[in-house]
Amino acid sequence: MARAVIFDMDGVLLDTESVCFECWKRAGEEWGLDDAEDAYRLCVGTNLNDTMAILHGRYGADFDAQKFHARTGELFHVVEAEKGLALMPFVRECLDSLKARGYRLSVASSTRSEAVHRQLRAANIIEYFETITCGDTVEHSKPAPDIYLKACESLCLPPADCIAVEDSPNGVRAAQAAGMKCVMIPDQVQPTKEIRALAWRVAKNLGEMKKLI
């Protein structure tokens, strides 16, 4: 029986993926890219180092990936400052239910530490989590298993005792590679047959997910 549930943040706890999607689309229009949304989907769930590699692989070694990514961040911060970031459906109900049943809760996000802590604090849910592991603490993020292995280590638990909750194919791959069961709740990217086979369960939202554990 699982003892802990480790959540991805973006697109699972906070509705950031839809904001990022629009920011990448707008930045792509500014840069004359007609497929920036497709590039974004490839980068969902990865940390900065891997995002840079994906952008260079797609647009060439001369593409100023850092400047482009910084522009998407500028657009994102405008939305965050003006409107805030909404919780995904059933977040509090799910976290309260899992806590009440004795599960230990943690976060494993590919986003950098400063942003993760700021956004979870602003959403008033940071106190639910015993540990928080972020993308800037590992060399390779999802789909590599590093971040989940480190999150399990932070809880002093083996991966087999932890369940991951993810919205992206990269996240599902990372959890499976780490030796964890994974519940996928699709957001911007729907699961393929391959991803459905890797996921332990696929749920519509966190309200449905809490009933599966």
Side-chain angles (χ1 to χ4, degrees), residues 4-29:
V5 181
I6 303 177
F7 291 83
D8 177 40
M9 183 184 77
D10 298 300
V12 173
L13 298 171
L14 302 182
D15 186 15
T16 55
E17 300 289 14
S18 61
V19 177
C20 286
F21 183 87
E22 289 302 319
C23 291
W24 277 60
K25 180 179 179 181
R26 287 176 58 189
E29 291 169 352

PDB file of all heavy atoms in Angstrom, residues 4-29:
ATOM      1  N   ALA A   4       2.807   7.603   0.338  1.00  0.00           N
ATOM      2  CA  ALA A   4       2.943   9.012  -0.017  1.00  0.00           C
ATOM      3  C   ALA A   4       2.419   9.258  -1.426  1.00  0.00           C
ATOM      4  O   ALA A   4       2.419   8.356  -2.272  1.00  0.00           O
ATOM      5  CB  ALA A   4       4.404   9.451   0.078  1.00  0.00           C
ATOM      6  N   VAL A   5       1.988  10.485  -1.655  1.00  0.00           N
ATOM      7  CA  VAL A   5       1.549  10.915  -2.983  1.00  0.00           C
ATOM      8  C   VAL A   5       2.379  12.146  -3.357  1.00  0.00           C
ATOM      9  O   VAL A   5       2.436  13.117  -2.607  1.00  0.00           O
ATOM     10  CB  VAL A   5       0.049  11.263  -3.012  1.00  0.00           C
ATOM     11  CG1 VAL A   5      -0.365  11.671  -4.434  1.00  0.00           C
ATOM     12  CG2 VAL A   5      -0.786  10.075  -2.539  1.00  0.00           C
ATOM     13  N   ILE A   6       3.043  12.061  -4.499  1.00  0.00           N
ATOM     14  CA  ILE A   6       3.921  13.135  -4.954  1.00  0.00           C
ATOM     15  C   ILE A   6       3.305  13.787  -6.184  1.00  0.00           C
ATOM     16  O   ILE A   6       3.101  13.141  -7.214  1.00  0.00           O
ATOM     17  CB  ILE A   6       5.328  12.598  -5.270  1.00  0.00           C
ATOM     18  CG1 ILE A   6       5.909  11.891  -4.038  1.00  0.00           C
ATOM     19  CG2 ILE A   6       6.242  13.737  -5.717  1.00  0.00           C
ATOM     20  CD1 ILE A   6       7.280  11.267  -4.275  1.00  0.00           C
ATOM     21  N   PHE A   7       3.011  15.082  -6.070  1.00  0.00           N
ATOM     22  CA  PHE A   7       2.302  15.813  -7.111  1.00  0.00           C
ATOM     23  C   PHE A   7       3.244  16.635  -7.984  1.00  0.00           C
ATOM     24  O   PHE A   7       4.128  17.337  -7.471  1.00  0.00           O
ATOM     25  CB  PHE A   7       1.299  16.797  -6.486  1.00  0.00           C
ATOM     26  CG  PHE A   7       0.137  16.163  -5.801  1.00  0.00           C
ATOM     27  CD1 PHE A   7       0.253  15.717  -4.486  1.00  0.00           C
ATOM     28  CD2 PHE A   7      -1.078  16.012  -6.445  1.00  0.00           C
ATOM     29  CE1 PHE A   7      -0.826  15.134  -3.833  1.00  0.00           C
ATOM     30  CE2 PHE A   7      -2.162  15.437  -5.797  1.00  0.00           C
ATOM     31  CZ  PHE A   7      -2.039  15.001  -4.481  1.00  0.00           C
ATOM     32  N   ASP A   8       3.042  16.583  -9.281  1.00  0.00           N
ATOM     33  CA  ASP A   8       3.558  17.623 -10.150  1.00  0.00           C
ATOM     34  C   ASP A   8       2.767  18.893  -9.820  1.00  0.00           C
ATOM     35  O   ASP A   8       1.657  18.816  -9.271  1.00  0.00           O
ATOM     36  CB  ASP A   8       3.347  17.216 -11.614  1.00  0.00           C
ATOM     37  CG  ASP A   8       3.791  18.283 -12.584  1.00  0.00           C
ATOM     38  OD1 ASP A   8       4.835  18.915 -12.353  1.00  0.00           O
ATOM     39  OD2 ASP A   8       3.086  18.487 -13.589  1.00  0.00           O
ATOM     40  N   MET A   9       3.312  20.062 -10.117  1.00  0.00           N
ATOM     41  CA  MET A   9       2.589  21.299  -9.800  1.00  0.00           C
ATOM     42  C   MET A   9       1.842  21.867 -10.998  1.00  0.00           C
ATOM     43  O   MET A   9       0.626  22.058 -10.958  1.00  0.00           O
ATOM     44  CB  MET A   9       3.554  22.367  -9.257  1.00  0.00           C
ATOM     45  CG  MET A   9       2.836  23.660  -8.846  1.00  0.00           C
ATOM     46  SD  MET A   9       3.944  24.996  -8.308  1.00  0.00           S
ATOM     47  CE  MET A   9       4.561  25.578  -9.908  1.00  0.00           C
ATOM     48  N   ASP A  10       2.568  22.136 -12.077  1.00  0.00           N
ATOM     49  CA  ASP A  10       1.973  22.815 -13.230  1.00  0.00           C
ATOM     50  C   ASP A  10       0.991  21.917 -13.958  1.00  0.00           C
ATOM     51  O   ASP A  10       1.344  20.837 -14.436  1.00  0.00           O
ATOM     52  CB  ASP A  10       3.069  23.272 -14.190  1.00  0.00           C
ATOM     53  CG  ASP A  10       4.010  24.282 -13.545  1.00  0.00           C
ATOM     54  OD1 ASP A  10       3.519  25.345 -13.136  1.00  0.00           O
ATOM     55  OD2 ASP A  10       5.220  24.009 -13.442  1.00  0.00           O
ATOM     56  N   GLY A  11      -0.254  22.352 -14.028  1.00  0.00           N
ATOM     57  CA  GLY A  11      -1.283  21.577 -14.706  1.00  0.00           C
ATOM     58  C   GLY A  11      -1.919  20.502 -13.847  1.00  0.00           C
ATOM     59  O   GLY A  11      -2.879  19.864 -14.275  1.00  0.00           O
ATOM     60  N   VAL A  12      -1.398  20.313 -12.630  1.00  0.00           N
ATOM     61  CA  VAL A  12      -1.982  19.344 -11.690  1.00  0.00           C
ATOM     62  C   VAL A  12      -2.563  20.075 -10.484  1.00  0.00           C
ATOM     63  O   VAL A  12      -3.728  19.878 -10.129  1.00  0.00           O
ATOM     64  CB  VAL A  12      -0.940  18.306 -11.230  1.00  0.00           C
ATOM     65  CG1 VAL A  12      -1.513  17.418 -10.133  1.00  0.00           C
ATOM     66  CG2 VAL A  12      -0.495  17.444 -12.405  1.00  0.00           C
ATOM     67  N   LEU A  13      -1.753  20.910  -9.860  1.00  0.00           N
ATOM     68  CA  LEU A  13      -2.205  21.700  -8.716  1.00  0.00           C
ATOM     69  C   LEU A  13      -2.616  23.113  -9.131  1.00  0.00           C
ATOM     70  O   LEU A  13      -3.630  23.633  -8.662  1.00  0.00           O
ATOM     71  CB  LEU A  13      -1.101  21.783  -7.665  1.00  0.00           C
ATOM     72  CG  LEU A  13      -0.654  20.456  -7.043  1.00  0.00           C
ATOM     73  CD1 LEU A  13       0.585  20.663  -6.179  1.00  0.00           C
ATOM     74  CD2 LEU A  13      -1.778  19.830  -6.220  1.00  0.00           C
ATOM     75  N   LEU A  14      -1.829  23.715 -10.008  1.00  0.00           N
ATOM     76  CA  LEU A  14      -2.090  25.088 -10.455  1.00  0.00           C
ATOM     77  C   LEU A  14      -2.349  25.116 -11.956  1.00  0.00           C
ATOM     78  O   LEU A  14      -1.711  24.394 -12.726  1.00  0.00           O
ATOM     79  CB  LEU A  14      -0.898  25.994 -10.125  1.00  0.00           C
ATOM     80  CG  LEU A  14      -0.486  26.101  -8.664  1.00  0.00           C
ATOM     81  CD1 LEU A  14       0.682  27.075  -8.525  1.00  0.00           C
ATOM     82  CD2 LEU A  14      -1.655  26.550  -7.792  1.00  0.00           C
ATOM     83  N   ASP A  15      -3.269  25.986 -12.362  1.00  0.00           N
ATOM     84  CA  ASP A  15      -3.618  26.105 -13.778  1.00  0.00           C
ATOM     85  C   ASP A  15      -2.607  27.010 -14.484  1.00  0.00           C
ATOM     86  O   ASP A  15      -2.930  28.117 -14.912  1.00  0.00           O
ATOM     87  CB  ASP A  15      -5.033  26.660 -13.920  1.00  0.00           C
ATOM     88  CG  ASP A  15      -5.505  26.665 -15.364  1.00  0.00           C
ATOM     89  OD1 ASP A  15      -4.870  25.984 -16.196  1.00  0.00           O
ATOM     90  OD2 ASP A  15      -6.493  27.361 -15.665  1.00  0.00           O
ATOM     91  N   THR A  16      -1.383  26.516 -14.583  1.00  0.00           N
ATOM     92  CA  THR A  16      -0.320  27.287 -15.234  1.00  0.00           C
ATOM     93  C   THR A  16      -0.114  26.877 -16.683  1.00  0.00           C
ATOM     94  O   THR A  16       0.367  27.680 -17.488  1.00  0.00           O
ATOM     95  CB  THR A  16       1.012  27.098 -14.484  1.00  0.00           C
ATOM     96  OG1 THR A  16       1.293  25.700 -14.394  1.00  0.00           O
ATOM     97  CG2 THR A  16       0.937  27.681 -13.088  1.00  0.00           C
ATOM     98  N   GLU A  17      -0.463  25.646 -17.030  1.00  0.00           N
ATOM     99  CA  GLU A  17      -0.176  25.168 -18.376  1.00  0.00           C
ATOM    100  C   GLU A  17      -0.936  25.960 -19.438  1.00  0.00           C
ATOM    101  O   GLU A  17      -0.385  26.277 -20.499  1.00  0.00           O
ATOM    102  CB  GLU A  17      -0.514  23.675 -18.501  1.00  0.00           C
ATOM    103  CG  GLU A  17       0.255  22.768 -17.562  1.00  0.00           C
ATOM    104  CD  GLU A  17       1.719  22.614 -17.913  1.00  0.00           C
ATOM    105  OE1 GLU A  17       2.229  23.405 -18.724  1.00  0.00           O
ATOM    106  OE2 GLU A  17       2.362  21.720 -17.354  1.00  0.00           O
ATOM    107  N   SER A  18      -2.187  26.293 -19.171  1.00  0.00           N
ATOM    108  CA  SER A  18      -2.956  27.058 -20.153  1.00  0.00           C
ATOM    109  C   SER A  18      -2.373  28.455 -20.329  1.00  0.00           C
ATOM    110  O   SER A  18      -2.355  29.005 -21.438  1.00  0.00           O
ATOM    111  CB  SER A  18      -4.427  27.144 -19.739  1.00  0.00           C
ATOM    112  OG  SER A  18      -4.568  27.803 -18.499  1.00  0.00           O
ATOM    113  N   VAL A  19      -1.860  29.030 -19.222  1.00  0.00           N
ATOM    114  CA  VAL A  19      -1.218  30.347 -19.299  1.00  0.00           C
ATOM    115  C   VAL A  19       0.071  30.243 -20.103  1.00  0.00           C
ATOM    116  O   VAL A  19       0.343  31.062 -20.989  1.00  0.00           O
ATOM    117  CB  VAL A  19      -0.929  30.898 -17.889  1.00  0.00           C
ATOM    118  CG1 VAL A  19      -0.198  32.238 -17.983  1.00  0.00           C
ATOM    119  CG2 VAL A  19      -2.220  31.055 -17.094  1.00  0.00           C
ATOM    120  N   CYS A  20       0.882  29.234 -19.816  1.00  0.00           N
ATOM    121  CA  CYS A  20       2.130  29.033 -20.552  1.00  0.00           C
ATOM    122  C   CYS A  20       1.870  28.830 -22.040  1.00  0.00           C
ATOM    123  O   CYS A  20       2.599  29.364 -22.888  1.00  0.00           O
ATOM    124  CB  CYS A  20       2.880  27.827 -20.000  1.00  0.00           C
ATOM    125  SG  CYS A  20       3.666  28.092 -18.403  1.00  0.00           S
ATOM    126  N   PHE A  21       0.856  28.065 -22.356  1.00  0.00           N
ATOM    127  CA  PHE A  21       0.510  27.802 -23.750  1.00  0.00           C
ATOM    128  C   PHE A  21       0.271  29.112 -24.499  1.00  0.00           C
ATOM    129  O   PHE A  21       0.805  29.326 -25.594  1.00  0.00           O
ATOM    130  CB  PHE A  21      -0.725  26.908 -23.807  1.00  0.00           C
ATOM    131  CG  PHE A  21      -1.131  26.523 -25.204  1.00  0.00           C
ATOM    132  CD1 PHE A  21      -0.569  25.414 -25.811  1.00  0.00           C
ATOM    133  CD2 PHE A  21      -2.076  27.259 -25.898  1.00  0.00           C
ATOM    134  CE1 PHE A  21      -0.937  25.047 -27.106  1.00  0.00           C
ATOM    135  CE2 PHE A  21      -2.449  26.905 -27.190  1.00  0.00           C
ATOM    136  CZ  PHE A  21      -1.879  25.799 -27.794  1.00  0.00           C
ATOM    137  N   GLU A  22      -0.521  29.987 -23.909  1.00  0.00           N
ATOM    138  CA  GLU A  22      -0.817  31.265 -24.552  1.00  0.00           C
ATOM    139  C   GLU A  22       0.418  32.156 -24.633  1.00  0.00           C
ATOM    140  O   GLU A  22       0.614  32.876 -25.620  1.00  0.00           O
ATOM    141  CB  GLU A  22      -1.939  31.986 -23.799  1.00  0.00           C
ATOM    142  CG  GLU A  22      -3.302  31.348 -23.975  1.00  0.00           C
ATOM    143  CD  GLU A  22      -3.723  31.265 -25.440  1.00  0.00           C
ATOM    144  OE1 GLU A  22      -3.486  32.239 -26.182  1.00  0.00           O
ATOM    145  OE2 GLU A  22      -4.267  30.215 -25.837  1.00  0.00           O
ATOM    146  N   CYS A  23       1.274  32.101 -23.598  1.00  0.00           N
ATOM    147  CA  CYS A  23       2.494  32.919 -23.599  1.00  0.00           C
ATOM    148  C   CYS A  23       3.468  32.451 -24.672  1.00  0.00           C
ATOM    149  O   CYS A  23       4.106  33.272 -25.350  1.00  0.00           O
ATOM    150  CB  CYS A  23       3.149  32.882 -22.226  1.00  0.00           C
ATOM    151  SG  CYS A  23       2.188  33.734 -20.944  1.00  0.00           S
ATOM    152  N   TRP A  24       3.596  31.155 -24.837  1.00  0.00           N
ATOM    153  CA  TRP A  24       4.463  30.633 -25.896  1.00  0.00           C
ATOM    154  C   TRP A  24       3.889  30.983 -27.272  1.00  0.00           C
ATOM    155  O   TRP A  24       4.643  31.302 -28.194  1.00  0.00           O
ATOM    156  CB  TRP A  24       4.623  29.120 -25.761  1.00  0.00           C
ATOM    157  CG  TRP A  24       5.667  28.710 -24.772  1.00  0.00           C
ATOM    158  CD1 TRP A  24       5.690  28.997 -23.434  1.00  0.00           C
ATOM    159  CD2 TRP A  24       6.849  27.952 -25.029  1.00  0.00           C
ATOM    160  NE1 TRP A  24       6.799  28.466 -22.836  1.00  0.00           N
ATOM    161  CE2 TRP A  24       7.534  27.808 -23.788  1.00  0.00           C
ATOM    162  CE3 TRP A  24       7.386  27.358 -26.168  1.00  0.00           C
ATOM    163  CZ2 TRP A  24       8.733  27.106 -23.675  1.00  0.00           C
ATOM    164  CZ3 TRP A  24       8.582  26.650 -26.061  1.00  0.00           C
ATOM    165  CH2 TRP A  24       9.239  26.540 -24.836  1.00  0.00           C
ATOM    166  N   LYS A  25       2.591  30.922 -27.401  1.00  0.00           N
ATOM    167  CA  LYS A  25       1.956  31.274 -28.676  1.00  0.00           C
ATOM    168  C   LYS A  25       2.226  32.734 -29.017  1.00  0.00           C
ATOM    169  O   LYS A  25       2.607  33.064 -30.149  1.00  0.00           O
ATOM    170  CB  LYS A  25       0.454  31.016 -28.595  1.00  0.00           C
ATOM    171  CG  LYS A  25      -0.301  31.344 -29.876  1.00  0.00           C
ATOM    172  CD  LYS A  25      -1.789  31.033 -29.719  1.00  0.00           C
ATOM    173  CE  LYS A  25      -2.542  31.375 -30.991  1.00  0.00           C
ATOM    174  NZ  LYS A  25      -3.994  31.092 -30.840  1.00  0.00           N
ATOM    175  N   ARG A  26       2.068  33.628 -28.035  1.00  0.00           N
ATOM    176  CA  ARG A  26       2.307  35.052 -28.265  1.00  0.00           C
ATOM    177  C   ARG A  26       3.769  35.333 -28.559  1.00  0.00           C
ATOM    178  O   ARG A  26       4.101  36.102 -29.470  1.00  0.00           O
ATOM    179  CB  ARG A  26       1.840  35.856 -27.058  1.00  0.00           C
ATOM    180  CG  ARG A  26       0.325  35.954 -26.915  1.00  0.00           C
ATOM    181  CD  ARG A  26      -0.066  36.677 -25.641  1.00  0.00           C
ATOM    182  NE  ARG A  26       0.512  38.025 -25.589  1.00  0.00           N
ATOM    183  CZ  ARG A  26       0.474  38.801 -24.511  1.00  0.00           C
ATOM    184  NH1 ARG A  26      -0.103  38.342 -23.403  1.00  0.00           N
ATOM    185  NH2 ARG A  26       0.989  40.006 -24.544  1.00  0.00           N
ATOM    186  N   ALA A  27       4.667  34.692 -27.818  1.00  0.00           N
ATOM    187  CA  ALA A  27       6.100  34.875 -28.070  1.00  0.00           C
ATOM    188  C   ALA A  27       6.466  34.341 -29.455  1.00  0.00           C
ATOM    189  O   ALA A  27       7.273  34.950 -30.178  1.00  0.00           O
ATOM    190  CB  ALA A  27       6.923  34.165 -26.993  1.00  0.00           C
ATOM    191  N   GLY A  28       5.866  33.230 -29.831  1.00  0.00           N
ATOM    192  CA  GLY A  28       6.115  32.674 -31.158  1.00  0.00           C
ATOM    193  C   GLY A  28       5.689  33.620 -32.257  1.00  0.00           C
ATOM    194  O   GLY A  28       6.386  33.773 -33.276  1.00  0.00           O
ATOM    195  N   GLU A  29       4.553  34.280 -32.073  1.00  0.00           N
ATOM    196  CA  GLU A  29       4.090  35.265 -33.057  1.00  0.00           C
ATOM    197  C   GLU A  29       5.078  36.416 -33.164  1.00  0.00           C
ATOM    198  O   GLU A  29       5.358  36.908 -34.271  1.00  0.00           O
ATOM    199  CB  GLU A  29       2.702  35.772 -32.664  1.00  0.00           C
ATOM    200  CG  GLU A  29       1.610  34.715 -32.794  1.00  0.00           C
ATOM    201  CD  GLU A  29       0.297  35.141 -32.161  1.00  0.00           C
ATOM    202  OE1 GLU A  29       0.277  36.202 -31.484  1.00  0.00           O
ATOM    203  OE2 GLU A  29      -0.701  34.427 -32.338  1.00  0.00           O
TER     204      GLU A  29
END
